[in-house]
Amino acid sequence: MEPTVTDAPDAERYEIRDGDRLLGLAAYQRHGEQVVFTHTEVDPDAEGSGLGGKLVRGALDDVRSRGGRVVPRCSFVRGWIERHPEYGDLVDHNS
């Protein structure tokens, strides 16, 4: 089964799961259309597998589909966006 990324708004985070198993999360604070990413973590057993990138891509694709903007306070999210400039348009530089 391919891990899936979903928004868990009650927990204020995007999650990447393999079935019921939580593999990683990207915590955020939502302010209207703005999503402030504050922390990302991936299961230590899955580090280096690309799950973190898949998590961030899925989260940013969801923000884009909702017409939102991103403030990448989390260094992992910020670094991922820098390496994937096609997502740079999502960054809210006014915050």
Side-chain angles (χ1 to χ4, degrees):
M1 182 178 205
E2 181 74 16
T4 56
V5 177
T6 55
D7 187 9
D10 292 344
E12 294 189 311
R13 67 189 192 184
Y14 283 90
E15 300 175 340
I16 187 164
R17 292 181 172 271
D18 186 0
D20 290 337
R21 183 169 168 238
L22 180 64
L23 300 174
L25 63 92
Y28 65 76
Q29 298 168 347
R30 196 178 295 274
H31 304 285
E33 295 299 307
Q34 186 183 74
V35 180
V36 181
F37 284 97
T38 57
H39 177 71
T40 303
E41 59 184 72
V42 174
D43 183 326
D45 294 337
E47 283 184 11
S49 66
L51 275 180
K54 182 178 172 76
L55 169 61
V56 172
R57 183 182 301 274
L60 295 179
D61 286 346
D62 185 66
V63 171
R64 186 187 302 279
S65 74
R66 299 175 191 222
R69 306 284 290 157
V70 170
V71 178
R73 294 227 171 99
C74 166
S75 60
F76 184 84
V77 174
R78 186 170 50 251
W80 192 92
I81 291 171
E82 287 170 1
R83 290 187 306 279
H84 298 86
E86 66 273 22
Y87 285 86
D89 63 304
L90 288 175
V91 176
D92 189 341
H93 296 285
N94 298 320
S95 295

Coordinates of all heavy atoms in Angstrom, one line a residue:
M1 N 0.8 -1.2 0.0 CA 0.0 0.0 0.0 C 0.9 1.3 0.0 O 1.9 1.3 0.7 CB -0.9 0.0 1.2 CG -1.9 1.1 1.3 SD -2.9 0.9 2.8 CE -4.3 1.9 2.2
E2 N 0.5 2.2 -0.8 CA 1.3 3.5 -0.9 C 0.9 4.4 0.2 O -0.3 4.6 0.4 CB 1.0 4.1 -2.3 CG 1.7 5.4 -2.5 CD 3.2 5.2 -2.8 OE1 3.6 4.1 -3.1 OE2 3.9 6.2 -2.7
P3 N 1.8 5.0 1.0 CA 1.5 5.9 2.0 C 0.7 7.1 1.5 O 1.0 7.6 0.3 CB 2.8 6.4 2.6 CG 3.8 5.3 2.2 CD 3.3 4.7 0.9
T4 N -0.3 7.6 2.2 CA -1.1 8.7 1.8 C -1.0 9.9 2.7 O -0.8 9.7 3.9 CB -2.6 8.3 1.7 OG1 -3.0 7.8 3.0 CG2 -2.8 7.2 0.7
V5 N -1.1 11.1 2.2 CA -1.1 12.3 2.9 C -2.5 12.9 3.1 O -3.2 13.0 2.1 CB -0.2 13.3 2.2 CG1 -0.2 14.7 3.0 CG2 1.2 12.8 2.1
T6 N -2.9 13.2 4.3 CA -4.2 13.7 4.6 C -4.1 14.9 5.6 O -3.1 14.9 6.4 CB -5.2 12.7 5.1 OG1 -4.6 12.1 6.3 CG2 -5.5 11.6 4.1
D7 N -5.0 15.8 5.5 CA -5.1 16.9 6.4 C -5.9 16.4 7.6 O -6.9 15.8 7.5 CB -5.8 18.1 5.8 CG -5.8 19.4 6.6 OD1 -5.1 19.4 7.7 OD2 -6.5 20.3 6.3
A8 N -5.3 16.7 8.8 CA -6.0 16.3 10.1 C -6.3 17.7 10.8 O -5.5 18.0 11.7 CB -5.2 15.4 10.9
P9 N -7.3 18.4 10.4 CA -7.4 19.8 10.9 C -7.6 19.9 12.4 O -7.2 20.8 13.1 CB -8.6 20.4 10.1 CG -9.3 19.2 9.5 CD -8.3 18.1 9.4
D10 N -8.3 18.9 13.0 CA -8.5 18.9 14.4 C -7.2 18.8 15.2 O -7.1 19.3 16.3 CB -9.4 17.7 14.9 CG -10.9 17.9 14.3 OD1 -11.2 19.0 13.9 OD2 -11.6 16.9 14.3
A11 N -6.2 18.1 14.6 CA -4.9 18.0 15.2 C -3.9 19.1 14.7 O -2.8 19.1 15.1 CB -4.3 16.6 15.0
E12 N -4.4 19.9 13.8 CA -3.6 21.0 13.1 C -2.3 20.4 12.5 O -1.2 20.8 12.8 CB -3.2 22.1 14.1 CG -4.5 22.9 14.5 CD -4.1 24.1 15.3 OE1 -3.3 24.1 16.3 OE2 -4.6 25.2 15.0
R13 N -2.5 19.4 11.7 CA -1.3 18.8 11.0 C -1.7 18.0 9.8 O -2.9 17.6 9.7 CB -0.6 17.9 12.0 CG -1.3 16.6 12.4 CD -0.6 15.9 13.5 NE -1.2 14.6 13.7 CZ -0.8 13.8 14.7 NH1 0.2 14.1 15.5 NH2 -1.4 12.6 14.8
Y14 N -0.8 17.9 8.9 CA -0.9 16.9 7.8 C -0.2 15.7 8.3 O 0.8 15.7 8.9 CB -0.2 17.5 6.5 CG -1.1 18.5 5.8 CD1 -0.9 19.9 6.1 CD2 -2.0 18.1 4.9 CE1 -1.7 20.8 5.5 CE2 -2.8 19.1 4.2 CZ -2.6 20.4 4.6 OH -3.4 21.4 3.9
E15 N -0.8 14.5 7.9 CA -0.2 13.2 8.3 C 0.1 12.4 7.1 O -0.7 12.5 6.1 CB -1.2 12.5 9.2 CG -1.6 13.2 10.4 CD -2.7 12.5 11.2 OE1 -3.4 11.7 10.7 OE2 -2.8 12.8 12.4
I16 N 1.1 11.6 7.1 CA 1.4 10.6 6.1 C 1.2 9.3 6.8 O 1.9 9.0 7.9 CB 2.7 10.8 5.4 CG1 2.9 9.8 4.3 CG2 3.9 10.7 6.4 CD1 4.0 10.2 3.3
R17 N 0.4 8.4 6.3 CA 0.1 7.1 6.9 C 0.2 6.0 5.9 O -0.1 6.2 4.7 CB -1.4 7.2 7.4 CG -1.6 8.1 8.6 CD -3.0 8.0 9.1 NE -3.2 8.8 10.4 CZ -3.0 8.2 11.6 NH1 -2.7 7.0 11.7 NH2 -3.1 9.0 12.6
D18 N 0.5 4.9 6.4 CA 0.4 3.6 5.7 C -0.7 2.8 6.4 O -0.4 2.2 7.5 CB 1.8 2.9 5.7 CG 1.8 1.6 4.9 OD1 0.8 1.3 4.2 OD2 2.8 1.0 4.8
G19 N -1.9 2.8 5.9 CA -3.0 2.2 6.6 C -3.3 3.0 7.8 O -3.4 4.3 7.8
D20 N -3.3 2.4 9.0 CA -3.5 3.0 10.3 C -2.2 3.5 10.9 O -2.2 4.2 11.9 CB -4.2 2.1 11.2 CG -5.6 1.8 10.8 OD1 -6.2 2.6 10.1 OD2 -6.1 0.7 11.3
R21 N -1.1 3.2 10.3 CA 0.2 3.6 10.9 C 0.7 5.0 10.5 O 0.8 5.3 9.3 CB 1.3 2.5 10.5 CG 2.6 2.8 11.1 CD 3.6 1.6 10.9 NE 4.9 2.0 11.3 CZ 5.9 2.0 10.5 NH1 5.8 1.6 9.2 NH2 7.1 2.4 10.9
L22 N 0.8 5.8 11.5 CA 1.3 7.2 11.3 C 2.8 7.1 11.0 O 3.6 6.6 11.9 CB 1.0 8.0 12.5 CG 1.5 9.5 12.4 CD1 0.7 10.2 11.3 CD2 1.3 10.2 13.8
L23 N 3.2 7.6 9.9 CA 4.6 7.6 9.5 C 5.3 9.0 9.7 O 6.5 9.1 9.8 CB 4.8 7.2 8.0 CG 4.3 5.8 7.7 CD1 4.3 5.5 6.2 CD2 5.0 4.7 8.5
G24 N 4.5 10.0 9.7 CA 5.1 11.4 9.8 C 4.0 12.4 9.9 O 2.8 12.1 9.6
L25 N 4.4 13.6 10.2 CA 3.4 14.7 10.4 C 4.1 16.0 10.1 O 5.3 16.2 10.2 CB 2.8 14.7 11.7 CG 3.7 15.0 12.9 CD1 3.8 16.5 13.3 CD2 3.2 14.2 14.1
A26 N 3.3 17.0 9.6 CA 3.7 18.3 9.4 C 2.7 19.2 10.1 O 1.6 19.4 9.7 CB 3.7 18.7 7.9
A27 N 3.1 19.7 11.3 CA 2.3 20.5 12.1 C 2.1 22.0 11.5 O 3.1 22.5 10.9 CB 2.8 20.6 13.5
Y28 N 1.0 22.5 11.7 CA 0.7 23.9 11.2 C -0.2 24.6 12.1 O -0.9 24.1 12.9 CB 0.2 23.8 9.7 CG -1.2 23.2 9.6 CD1 -2.4 23.8 10.0 CD2 -1.3 21.9 9.1 CE1 -3.6 23.2 9.9 CE2 -2.6 21.3 9.0 CZ -3.7 22.0 9.4 OH -5.0 21.4 9.2
Q29 N -0.3 25.9 11.8 CA -1.3 26.8 12.4 C -2.0 27.5 11.2 O -1.3 28.1 10.3 CB -0.7 27.9 13.3 CG 0.0 27.3 14.5 CD 0.9 28.3 15.2 OE1 1.2 29.4 14.7 NE2 1.4 27.9 16.4
R30 N -3.3 27.4 11.1 CA -4.0 28.0 10.0 C -4.6 29.4 10.5 O -5.2 29.5 11.5 CB -5.1 27.1 9.6 CG -5.7 27.4 8.2 CD -6.8 26.4 7.8 NE -6.3 25.0 7.6 CZ -5.8 24.5 6.5 NH1 -5.6 25.3 5.5 NH2 -5.4 23.3 6.4
H31 N -4.3 30.4 9.6 CA -4.8 31.7 9.9 C -5.6 32.1 8.6 O -4.9 32.7 7.7 CB -3.7 32.7 10.2 CG -2.9 32.3 11.4 ND1 -3.3 32.4 12.7 CD2 -1.7 31.7 11.5 CE1 -2.4 31.9 13.5 NE2 -1.4 31.5 12.8
G32 N -6.8 31.9 8.5 CA -7.6 32.1 7.3 C -7.0 31.3 6.1 O -7.0 30.0 6.3
E33 N -6.6 31.9 5.1 CA -6.0 31.2 3.9 C -4.5 30.9 4.1 O -3.9 30.2 3.3 CB -6.2 32.0 2.6 CG -7.7 32.2 2.3 CD -8.4 30.9 2.0 OE1 -7.9 30.0 1.2 OE2 -9.4 30.6 2.6
Q34 N -3.9 31.4 5.2 CA -2.5 31.2 5.4 C -2.2 30.0 6.3 O -2.9 29.8 7.3 CB -2.0 32.5 6.1 CG -0.5 32.5 6.3 CD 0.0 33.7 7.0 OE1 -0.2 33.8 8.2 NE2 0.6 34.6 6.3
V35 N -1.3 29.1 5.9 CA -0.9 28.0 6.6 C 0.6 28.1 7.1 O 1.4 28.2 6.2 CB -1.1 26.7 5.8 CG1 -0.7 25.5 6.6 CG2 -2.5 26.6 5.3
V36 N 0.8 28.2 8.4 CA 2.1 28.4 8.9 C 2.6 27.0 9.4 O 2.1 26.4 10.3 CB 2.1 29.4 10.1 CG1 3.5 29.6 10.7 CG2 1.5 30.7 9.7
F37 N 3.6 26.5 8.6 CA 4.2 25.2 9.0 C 5.2 25.4 10.1 O 6.1 26.2 9.9 CB 4.8 24.5 7.8 CG 3.7 23.9 6.9 CD1 3.3 24.6 5.8 CD2 3.2 22.7 7.1 CE1 2.3 24.1 4.9 CE2 2.2 22.1 6.3 CZ 1.8 22.8 5.2
T38 N 5.0 24.7 11.2 CA 5.9 24.9 12.4 C 6.8 23.8 12.7 O 7.9 24.0 13.3 CB 5.0 25.2 13.6 OG1 4.1 24.1 13.8 CG2 4.2 26.5 13.5
H39 N 6.5 22.6 12.3 CA 7.3 21.4 12.7 C 7.0 20.2 11.8 O 5.8 20.0 11.4 CB 7.0 21.1 14.1 CG 7.8 19.8 14.6 ND1 9.1 19.8 14.8 CD2 7.3 18.6 14.9 CE1 9.5 18.6 15.2 NE2 8.4 17.9 15.3
T40 N 8.0 19.5 11.4 CA 7.8 18.3 10.6 C 8.6 17.2 11.2 O 9.7 17.4 11.7 CB 8.3 18.5 9.1 OG1 7.6 19.6 8.6 CG2 8.0 17.3 8.3
E41 N 8.0 16.0 11.3 CA 8.8 14.8 11.8 C 8.3 13.6 11.0 O 7.2 13.5 10.6 CB 8.6 14.7 13.3 CG 7.2 14.5 13.8 CD 7.2 14.4 15.3 OE1 7.4 15.4 16.0 OE2 6.9 13.3 15.8
V42 N 9.3 12.7 10.8 CA 9.0 11.4 10.2 C 9.5 10.3 11.1 O 10.5 10.5 11.8 CB 9.7 11.4 8.8 CG1 9.6 10.1 8.1 CG2 9.2 12.5 7.9
D43 N 8.9 9.2 11.0 CA 9.3 8.0 11.8 C 10.8 7.8 11.5 O 11.2 7.7 10.4 CB 8.4 6.8 11.3 CG 8.7 5.5 12.1 OD1 9.9 5.3 12.5 OD2 7.8 4.7 12.3
P44 N 11.6 7.7 12.6 CA 13.0 7.5 12.4 C 13.4 6.3 11.6 O 14.4 6.3 10.8 CB 13.5 7.3 13.9 CG 12.5 7.9 14.7 CD 11.2 7.8 14.0
D45 N 12.5 5.2 11.6 CA 12.8 4.1 10.8 C 12.6 4.3 9.3 O 13.1 3.6 8.4 CB 11.9 2.9 11.2 CG 12.2 2.4 12.6 OD1 13.3 2.6 13.0 OD2 11.3 1.8 13.2
A46 N 11.9 5.4 9.0 CA 11.6 5.8 7.6 C 12.5 6.9 7.0 O 12.3 7.3 5.9 CB 10.1 6.1 7.4
E47 N 13.4 7.4 7.9 CA 14.2 8.5 7.4 C 15.1 8.1 6.2 O 15.5 6.9 6.1 CB 15.1 9.0 8.5 CG 14.4 9.9 9.5 CD 15.3 10.4 10.6 OE1 16.5 10.4 10.5 OE2 14.7 11.0 11.6
G48 N 15.2 9.0 5.3 CA 16.0 8.7 4.1 C 15.2 8.0 3.0 O 15.7 7.7 1.9
S49 N 13.9 7.7 3.3 CA 13.1 7.0 2.3 C 12.3 7.9 1.4 O 11.6 7.4 0.5 CB 12.1 6.1 3.1 OG 11.2 6.9 3.8
G50 N 12.4 9.2 1.6 CA 11.6 10.1 0.8 C 10.2 10.4 1.4 O 9.5 11.2 0.8
L51 N 9.9 9.9 2.5 CA 8.6 10.1 3.1 C 8.4 11.6 3.5 O 7.3 12.1 3.3 CB 8.3 9.2 4.3 CG 7.8 7.8 4.1 CD1 7.7 7.1 5.4 CD2 6.5 7.8 3.3
G52 N 9.4 12.2 4.0 CA 9.3 13.6 4.4 C 8.9 14.5 3.2 O 8.1 15.3 3.2
G53 N 9.6 14.2 2.1 CA 9.3 15.0 0.8 C 7.9 14.7 0.3 O 7.2 15.6 -0.1
K54 N 7.5 13.5 0.4 CA 6.1 13.1 0.0 C 5.1 13.8 0.8 O 4.1 14.3 0.4 CB 5.9 11.6 0.0 CG 4.6 11.2 -0.5 CD 4.4 9.6 -0.5 CE 3.0 9.2 -0.8 NZ 2.6 9.3 -2.1
L55 N 5.4 13.9 2.2 CA 4.5 14.5 3.1 C 4.4 16.0 2.8 O 3.3 16.6 2.7 CB 5.0 14.3 4.5 CG 4.4 15.2 5.6 CD1 2.9 14.9 5.8 CD2 5.1 14.9 7.0
V56 N 5.5 16.7 2.6 CA 5.5 18.1 2.3 C 4.8 18.4 1.0 O 4.0 19.3 0.8 CB 6.9 18.7 2.3 CG1 6.9 20.2 1.8 CG2 7.5 18.6 3.7
R57 N 5.2 17.6 -0.1 CA 4.5 17.8 -1.4 C 3.0 17.6 -1.3 O 2.2 18.5 -1.8 CB 5.1 16.8 -2.4 CG 4.5 17.0 -3.8 CD 5.0 16.0 -4.8 NE 6.4 16.0 -4.9 CZ 7.1 16.8 -5.8 NH1 6.5 17.6 -6.5 NH2 8.4 16.7 -5.8
G58 N 2.5 16.6 -0.6 CA 1.1 16.4 -0.4 C 0.4 17.6 0.3 O -0.7 18.0 0.0
A59 N 1.1 18.0 1.4 CA 0.5 19.2 2.2 C 0.5 20.4 1.3 O -0.6 21.1 1.3 CB 1.4 19.4 3.4
L60 N 1.6 20.7 0.6 CA 1.6 21.9 -0.2 C 0.6 21.8 -1.4 O 0.0 22.8 -1.8 CB 3.0 22.2 -0.8 CG 4.0 22.5 0.3 CD1 5.4 22.7 -0.3 CD2 3.6 23.7 1.2
D61 N 0.4 20.6 -2.0 CA -0.5 20.5 -3.0 C -1.9 20.7 -2.5 O -2.8 21.3 -3.2 CB -0.5 19.1 -3.6 CG 0.7 18.9 -4.5 OD1 1.4 19.9 -4.9 OD2 1.0 17.7 -4.9
D62 N -2.2 20.3 -1.3 CA -3.5 20.5 -0.7 C -3.7 22.0 -0.4 O -4.8 22.6 -0.7 CB -3.7 19.8 0.6 CG -5.1 19.9 1.2 OD1 -6.0 19.4 0.6 OD2 -5.2 20.5 2.3
V63 N -2.7 22.7 0.1 CA -2.8 24.2 0.3 C -3.1 24.9 -1.0 O -4.0 25.7 -1.1 CB -1.6 24.7 1.0 CG1 -1.6 26.2 1.1 CG2 -1.4 24.1 2.4
R64 N -2.4 24.5 -2.0 CA -2.6 25.1 -3.4 C -4.0 24.9 -3.9 O -4.6 25.8 -4.4 CB -1.6 24.5 -4.4 CG -1.6 25.2 -5.7 CD -0.8 24.6 -6.8 NE 0.6 24.5 -6.5 CZ 1.5 25.4 -6.6 NH1 1.2 26.6 -7.0 NH2 2.8 25.2 -6.3
S65 N -4.5 23.7 -3.7 CA -5.9 23.4 -4.2 C -6.9 24.2 -3.5 O -8.0 24.4 -4.0 CB -6.2 21.9 -4.0 OG -6.4 21.5 -2.7
R66 N -6.6 24.6 -2.3 CA -7.6 25.5 -1.5 C -7.3 27.0 -1.7 O -8.0 27.8 -1.1 CB -7.5 25.1 0.0 CG -7.8 23.7 0.3 CD -7.5 23.5 1.8 NE -7.5 22.1 2.1 CZ -8.1 21.6 3.2 NH1 -8.7 22.4 4.1 NH2 -8.0 20.3 3.5
G67 N -6.3 27.3 -2.5 CA -6.0 28.7 -2.8 C -5.3 29.4 -1.6 O -5.4 30.6 -1.5
G68 N -4.6 28.6 -0.8 CA -3.9 29.1 0.4 C -2.5 29.6 0.1 O -2.0 29.5 -1.0
R69 N -1.9 30.1 1.1 CA -0.6 30.6 1.1 C 0.2 29.9 2.3 O -0.4 29.5 3.3 CB -0.5 32.1 1.3 CG -1.3 32.9 0.3 CD -0.8 33.0 -1.0 NE 0.4 33.9 -1.0 CZ 1.4 33.8 -1.9 NH1 1.3 33.0 -2.9 NH2 2.4 34.6 -1.8
V70 N 1.5 29.9 2.2 CA 2.3 29.1 3.1 C 3.4 30.0 3.8 O 4.0 30.9 3.1 CB 3.0 28.0 2.4 CG1 4.1 27.3 3.3 CG2 2.0 26.9 1.9
V71 N 3.6 29.8 5.1 CA 4.7 30.5 5.8 C 5.5 29.3 6.3 O 5.1 28.6 7.3 CB 4.2 31.4 6.9 CG1 5.4 32.0 7.7 CG2 3.3 32.5 6.4
P72 N 6.7 29.0 5.7 CA 7.5 27.8 6.1 C 8.4 28.2 7.3 O 9.6 28.3 7.1 CB 8.2 27.5 4.9 CG 8.4 28.8 4.2 CD 7.2 29.6 4.5
R73 N 7.9 28.2 8.5 CA 8.7 28.4 9.7 C 9.6 27.2 10.0 O 10.6 27.3 10.6 CB 7.9 28.8 10.9 CG 7.2 30.1 10.7 CD 7.3 31.0 11.9 NE 6.8 32.3 11.6 CZ 5.6 32.8 11.9 NH1 4.8 32.0 12.6 NH2 5.2 34.0 11.6
C74 N 9.1 26.0 9.6 CA 9.8 24.8 9.8 C 10.9 24.7 8.8 O 10.7 24.9 7.6 CB 8.8 23.6 9.6 SG 9.6 22.0 9.4
S75 N 12.1 24.4 9.3 CA 13.3 24.4 8.4 C 13.2 23.3 7.3 O 13.7 23.5 6.2 CB 14.6 24.2 9.2 OG 14.6 23.0 9.9
F76 N 12.6 22.2 7.6 CA 12.4 21.1 6.6 C 11.6 21.6 5.5 O 11.9 21.4 4.3 CB 11.9 19.8 7.3 CG 11.9 18.7 6.3 CD1 13.0 17.9 6.1 CD2 10.7 18.4 5.6 CE1 13.0 16.9 5.2 CE2 10.7 17.3 4.7 CZ 11.8 16.6 4.5
V77 N 10.4 22.2 5.8 CA 9.5 22.7 4.8 C 10.2 23.8 4.0 O 10.1 23.8 2.7 CB 8.2 23.1 5.4 CG1 7.3 23.8 4.3 CG2 7.4 22.0 6.1
R78 N 10.8 24.7 4.6 CA 11.5 25.8 4.0 C 12.6 25.2 3.0 O 12.7 25.7 1.8 CB 12.1 26.7 5.0 CG 12.7 28.0 4.4 CD 13.1 29.0 5.4 NE 13.9 28.5 6.5 CZ 13.5 28.3 7.8 NH1 12.2 28.7 8.1 NH2 14.3 27.8 8.7
G79 N 13.4 24.3 3.5 CA 14.4 23.7 2.6 C 13.8 23.0 1.4 O 14.4 23.0 0.3
W80 N 12.7 22.3 1.7 CA 12.1 21.5 0.6 C 11.6 22.5 -0.5 O 11.8 22.2 -1.7 CB 10.9 20.7 1.1 CG 10.5 19.7 0.1 CD1 10.9 18.4 0.0 CD2 9.5 19.8 -0.9 NE1 10.2 17.8 -1.1 CE2 9.3 18.6 -1.6 CE3 8.7 20.9 -1.2 CZ2 8.5 18.5 -2.6 CZ3 7.8 20.8 -2.3 CH2 7.7 19.6 -3.0
I81 N 11.0 23.6 -0.1 CA 10.5 24.6 -1.1 C 11.7 25.2 -1.8 O 11.6 25.4 -3.1 CB 9.6 25.6 -0.4 CG1 8.3 25.0 0.1 CG2 9.4 26.8 -1.3 CD1 7.5 26.0 1.0
E82 N 12.8 25.4 -1.2 CA 13.9 26.0 -1.8 C 14.5 25.0 -2.9 O 14.9 25.4 -4.0 CB 15.0 26.3 -0.8 CG 14.7 27.5 0.0 CD 15.7 27.7 1.2 OE1 16.6 26.9 1.3 OE2 15.5 28.7 1.9
R83 N 14.4 23.7 -2.7 CA 14.8 22.7 -3.6 C 13.8 22.4 -4.7 O 14.1 21.8 -5.7 CB 15.2 21.4 -2.9 CG 16.4 21.5 -2.1 CD 16.9 20.2 -1.5 NE 15.9 19.4 -0.8 CZ 15.5 19.7 0.5 NH1 16.1 20.6 1.2 NH2 14.6 18.9 1.1
H84 N 12.6 22.9 -4.5 CA 11.5 22.7 -5.5 C 10.8 24.1 -5.8 O 9.7 24.4 -5.3 CB 10.4 21.7 -4.9 CG 11.0 20.4 -4.7 ND1 11.6 20.0 -3.5 CD2 11.1 19.3 -5.5 CE1 12.1 18.8 -3.6 NE2 11.7 18.3 -4.7
P85 N 11.5 24.9 -6.6 CA 11.1 26.3 -6.8 C 9.7 26.4 -7.4 O 9.1 27.4 -7.4 CB 12.1 26.8 -7.8 CG 12.9 25.7 -8.3 CD 12.7 24.6 -7.3
E86 N 9.2 25.3 -8.0 CA 7.8 25.3 -8.6 C 6.8 25.5 -7.5 O 5.6 25.8 -7.7 CB 7.5 24.1 -9.4 CG 7.5 22.8 -8.6 CD 8.8 22.1 -8.4 OE1 9.9 22.7 -8.5 OE2 8.8 20.8 -8.2
Y87 N 7.2 25.4 -6.2 CA 6.3 25.6 -5.1 C 6.5 27.0 -4.4 O 5.8 27.4 -3.5 CB 6.4 24.5 -4.0 CG 5.8 23.2 -4.5 CD1 6.4 22.3 -5.3 CD2 4.4 22.9 -4.1 CE1 5.8 21.1 -5.7 CE2 3.8 21.8 -4.6 CZ 4.5 20.9 -5.3 OH 3.9 19.7 -5.8
G88 N 7.5 27.7 -4.9 CA 7.8 29.0 -4.3 C 6.7 30.0 -4.4 O 6.6 30.9 -3.5
D89 N 5.8 29.9 -5.4 CA 4.7 30.8 -5.5 C 3.7 30.7 -4.3 O 2.9 31.6 -4.1 CB 4.0 30.6 -6.8 CG 3.3 29.3 -6.9 OD1 4.0 28.3 -6.7 OD2 2.1 29.2 -7.1
L90 N 3.8 29.6 -3.5 CA 2.9 29.5 -2.4 C 3.3 30.2 -1.2 O 2.5 30.5 -0.3 CB 2.8 28.0 -2.0 CG 2.0 27.1 -3.0 CD1 2.1 25.6 -2.5 CD2 0.6 27.5 -3.0
V91 N 4.6 30.6 -1.1 CA 5.2 31.3 0.1 C 4.6 32.7 0.2 O 4.7 33.5 -0.7 CB 6.7 31.3 0.0 CG1 7.3 32.0 1.2 CG2 7.2 29.8 0.0
D92 N 4.1 33.0 1.4 CA 3.6 34.3 1.7 C 4.8 35.1 2.3 O 5.2 34.9 3.4 CB 2.5 34.2 2.7 CG 1.8 35.6 3.0 OD1 2.4 36.6 2.6 OD2 0.7 35.6 3.5
H93 N 5.4 36.0 1.5 CA 6.6 36.7 1.9 C 6.3 37.9 2.7 O 7.2 38.6 3.2 CB 7.4 37.1 0.6 CG 7.9 36.0 -0.2 ND1 9.0 35.2 0.3 CD2 7.5 35.4 -1.3 CE1 9.3 34.3 -0.6 NE2 8.4 34.4 -1.6
N94 N 5.0 38.2 2.9 CA 4.6 39.3 3.7 C 4.4 39.0 5.2 O 3.9 39.8 6.0 CB 3.2 39.9 3.2 CG 3.4 40.3 1.8 OD1 4.4 41.0 1.4 ND2 2.3 40.1 1.0
S95 N 4.8 37.8 5.6 CA 4.7 37.4 7.0 C 6.0 37.3 7.7 O 7.0 37.0 7.1 CB 3.9 36.1 7.1 OG 2.6 36.3 6.6

